[in-house]
Amino acid sequence: MKNKKTLVIGASTNSERYSNRAVNMLVGKGHSVLAIGQKAGEVAGVKIQTKAIPVKNIDTITLYLNPARQRDYYNYIIEAHPKRVIFNPGTENPELYQLLELNDIQVEVACTLVLLATSQY
């Protein structure tokens, strides 16, 4: 399996949250993980940043923010130029899909946890 450097936007220290489970699962599967969330903290050894952080060579950004909260990250995501952005359930955003596709960034509407569990990540 190839290590896919992943940025989780909407990360949470709350173990009930899917973003928390995603960080744990990504780390467990050997991926390099960066995380941005509303509150600072740590999950599976990954520090959750509360502001956009400089990133390079990102393979995947996986979103756990509702569409209204995603607007603050549009330019950040485009400038990070990941290979793909995963829109997890509840994050679907046709406006952002268009912006990403215009910038040659793959849009994937899927569940990161399912992709990881079924070796499709």
Side-chain angles (χ1 to χ4, degrees):
M1 175 193 70
K2 184 181 166 207
N3 174 4
K4 293 183 178 172
K5 189 173 181 183
T6 302
L7 173 61
V8 178
I9 299 179
S12 172
T13 57
N14 180 345
S15 61
E16 303 285 313
R17 296 270 190 198
Y18 290 116
S19 64
N20 181 288
R21 294 178 189 178
V23 171
N24 277 296
M25 203 169 194
L26 285 160
V27 169
K29 298 268 185 182
H31 297 286
S32 301
V33 181
L34 301 169
I36 298 173
Q38 276 191 299
K39 296 178 187 167
E42 193 171 305
V43 176
V46 176
K47 287 194 186 307
I48 299 174
Q49 307 295 324
T50 56
K51 294 183 174 130
I53 52 175
V55 292
K56 289 184 183 175
N57 305 316
I58 294 290
D59 181 87
T60 302
I61 292 177
T62 183
L63 293 174
Y64 289 93
L65 289 179
N66 70 50
R69 295 204 36 238
Q70 290 170 22
R71 282 195 188 94
D72 293 338
Y73 291 94
Y74 283 9
N75 290 335
Y76 177 72
I77 292 168
I78 291 165
E79 288 169 16
H81 204 78
K83 290 181 182 161
R84 67 177 171 170
V85 175
I86 298 174
F87 290 82
N88 288 280
T91 67
E92 299 86 351
N93 183 347
E95 180 180 63
L96 184 50
Y97 301 165
Q98 284 187 317
L99 291 171
L100 295 172
E101 288 167 354
L102 286 171
N103 286 278
D104 296 317
I105 299 170
Q106 179 188 343
V107 169
E108 193 163 346
V109 180
C111 175
T112 298
L113 297 173
V114 171
L115 293 173
L116 287 163
T118 57
S119 300
Q120 297 180 71
Y121 193 82

